[in-house]
Each structure stands twice: as structure tokens, then as C-alpha cells.
């Protein structure tokens, strides 16, 4: 997984735009499985009077990425009433803005997110029983095969797994794809044997 970042400047055509319409753009290009995905954009402007602090103006980052939290941490807004005292670029009452760190952290979050979604897709491809293209039914001999694997949340940290015999499981991983927990429910209750067989001692989903 690779994410490259480029910056560019554009002008907001809105005649009422702040800072004379000056906008700093960030372009995040994601490459997965040797092909580029649709890029993500973050637009920053300077809406504060006599202060050069930046603010996120527009973006196309997925809702699963904590962009607002990253902006609050690395691009804090000036405290009201103190803008005249905070003349240094990016300086405000809450602390120093750190645009490079904001970009690096956001890039890392995008890499992690796409790594998790890619791993779930790969797991689905190698695990699910190949069905007869002429029917939606799984052969009777495969009644214990995995029928469905898909992300169960927007952040792709939880994986829903269903078997053709009715068992259902949930696998939870952390930001970096390490397995935190897996639970499988069968008719008779929790099925720890299936969990052990499915994981096979792996500590990461891609294993």
C-alpha cells in the first residue's frame, strides 16, 4: 500500500471567500494492488482575522477517517479574542499548528484504512467456497464452508463471517490489522473450536 501527497494552490471563485479566495490543497493518491485508486483531497484556508492559522475548508476524506480529530489536534483554531496577540504563523492559544504532522498522520490513517479493506478482500477471495455459477446453492458436502466475509463497520476494523451451516462470527482487529479478538456463535453457543481452526495461530488477519 502506498500513499503519495502533493500540494497545490487554487482560488475559491466565491466573491465572499475569506483570505481573497486563497486555498491550499492537499492531494492524497492511494495505490493498492499495483493500481491507483480515486485520490482524496483536503482544502485548507485562512479564515481568521490577522492570523495565518489554517482550517479545513473542504475535503473528500472517508467518514471512517477521524479527520476532525486530527485537525483539532494538529491544526487548532485560534482562541477568540486573542487573534491580535497570536501573530506568528500557525500560532494560537491552544498551541502550535503542525501542518506537516497533520499530513503525515492523515496519510498513515489512509494507509491503515486501505490496508484493512484490502486484507478483508483478500481473506474473502481465498476463504469463501467457490460456488457453481449456475446456482446460488453451495454443494451439500460443503455445508461447513465459509459463505460470507465482509467488513462490519465503516472503519473496516470488524469483520463479519458467516458459514453455510448457520454459524456466525465476528473478528476484531486494531488499526494495523492485528487480531484483537474473534468470536463464533453456533446453535449450541460459542464455538471456540472453529475460532482455533479459522485463525490457526495467526496474530494478523493477512496471515
Amino acid at each position: 500500500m502506498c500513499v503519495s501527497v502533493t500540494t497545490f494552490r487554487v482560488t475559491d471563485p466565491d466573491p465572499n471567500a475569506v483570505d481573497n479566495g486563497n486555498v491550499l490543497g492537499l492531494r492524497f493518491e492511494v495505490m493498492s494492488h499495483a493500481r491507483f485508486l480515486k485520490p482524496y483531497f483536503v482544502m485548507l484556508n485562512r479564515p481568521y482575522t490577522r492570523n495565518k492559522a489554517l482550517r479545513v475548508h473542504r475535503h473528500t476524506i472517508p467518514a471512517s477517517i477521524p479527520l476532525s480529530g486530527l485537525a483539532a489536534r494538529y491544526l487548532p483554531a485560534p482562541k477568540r479574542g486573542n487573534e491580535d496577540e497570536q501573530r506568528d504563523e500557525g500560532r494560537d492559544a491552544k498551541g502550535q499548528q503542525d501542518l506537516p504532522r497533520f499530513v503525515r498522520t492523515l496519510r498513515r490513517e489512509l494507509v491503515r484504512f486501505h490496508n484493512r479493506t484490502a486484507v478483508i478482500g483478500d481473506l474473502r477471495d481465498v476463504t469463501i467456497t467457490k460456488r457453481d455459477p449456475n446456482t446460488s446453492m453451495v454443494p451439500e458436502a460443503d455445508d461447513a464452508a465459509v459463505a460470507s466475509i465482509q467488513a462490519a463497520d465503516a472503519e473496516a476494523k470488524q469483520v463479519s463471517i458467516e458459514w453455510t451451516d448457520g454459524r456466525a462470527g465476528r473478528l476484531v482487529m486494531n488499526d494495523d490489522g492485528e487480531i484483537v479478538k474473534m468470536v463464533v456463535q453456533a446453535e449450541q453457543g460459542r464455538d471456540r473450536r472453529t475460532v482455533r481452526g479459522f485463525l490457526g495461530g495467526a496474530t494478523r488477519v493477512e496471515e
Side-chain angles (χ1 to χ4, degrees):
M1 182 67 62
C2 174
V3 176
S4 62
V5 184
T6 56
T7 61
F8 58 93
R9 293 186 180 276
V10 295
T11 300
D12 190 336
D14 185 347
N16 299 315
V18 300
D19 193 26
N20 297 317
N22 294 316
V23 175
L24 174 64
L26 305 174
R27 177 188 175 103
F28 296 81
E29 293 185 280
V30 181
M31 175 177 282
S32 178
H33 293 104
R35 67 183 183 88
F36 281 103
L37 306 180
K38 184 177 180 180
Y40 299 107
F41 294 92
V42 176
M43 302 297 182
L44 306 170
N45 62 9
R46 290 190 170 112
Y48 309 109
T49 304
R50 293 184 295 277
N51 190 293
K52 295 183 179 181
L54 294 165
R55 181 192 67 177
V56 175
H57 176 51
R58 295 281 190 273
H59 71 87
T60 62
I61 302 298
S64 56
I65 304 296
L67 180 64
S68 59
L70 297 179
R73 182 174 183 179
Y74 299 115
L75 301 177
K79 185 177 180 180
R80 290 184 178 180
N82 287 345
E83 291 185 12
D84 291 340
E85 301 175 6
Q86 305 296 335
R87 298 298 184 87
D88 295 337
E89 182 171 355
R91 183 75 179 179
D92 63 80
K94 293 182 180 180
Q96 182 80 27
Q97 285 198 339
D98 193 339
L99 180 59
R101 193 169 182 184
F102 170 77
V103 172
R104 290 196 303 270
T105 306
L106 178 54
R107 176 186 179 277
R108 184 176 69 243
E109 291 295 330
L110 287 169
V111 169
R112 286 172 166 176
F113 171 70
H114 281 282
N115 277 339
R116 293 193 301 270
T117 56
V119 164
I120 293 173
D122 291 342
L123 182 64
R124 181 190 306 116
D125 291 342
V126 301
T127 304
I128 294 181
T129 300
K130 301 301 181 182
R131 298 172 183 266
D132 185 336
N134 298 317
T135 177
S136 61
M137 299 297 293
V138 176
E140 186 175 349
D142 291 328
D143 62 349
V146 175
S148 172
I149 295 180
Q150 59 185 349
D153 66 330
E155 295 180 318
K157 292 182 181 180
Q158 298 189 30
V159 185
S160 173
I161 307 168
E162 296 180 358
W163 281 261
T164 55
D165 60 0
R167 285 173 295 167
R170 182 65 59 92
L171 185 150
V172 180
M173 56 180 156
N174 63 15
D175 290 341
D176 297 313
E178 296 177 348
I179 298 171
V180 176
K181 184 178 182 180
M182 181 176 179
V183 176
V184 175
Q185 288 291 132
E187 290 184 0
Q188 68 275 19
R190 293 185 63 174
D191 188 343
R192 293 180 175 82
R193 180 179 178 182
T194 297
V195 172
R196 291 193 297 269
F198 189 88
L199 295 180
T203 58
R204 298 182 61 86
V205 177
E206 62 264 34
E207 296 177 357

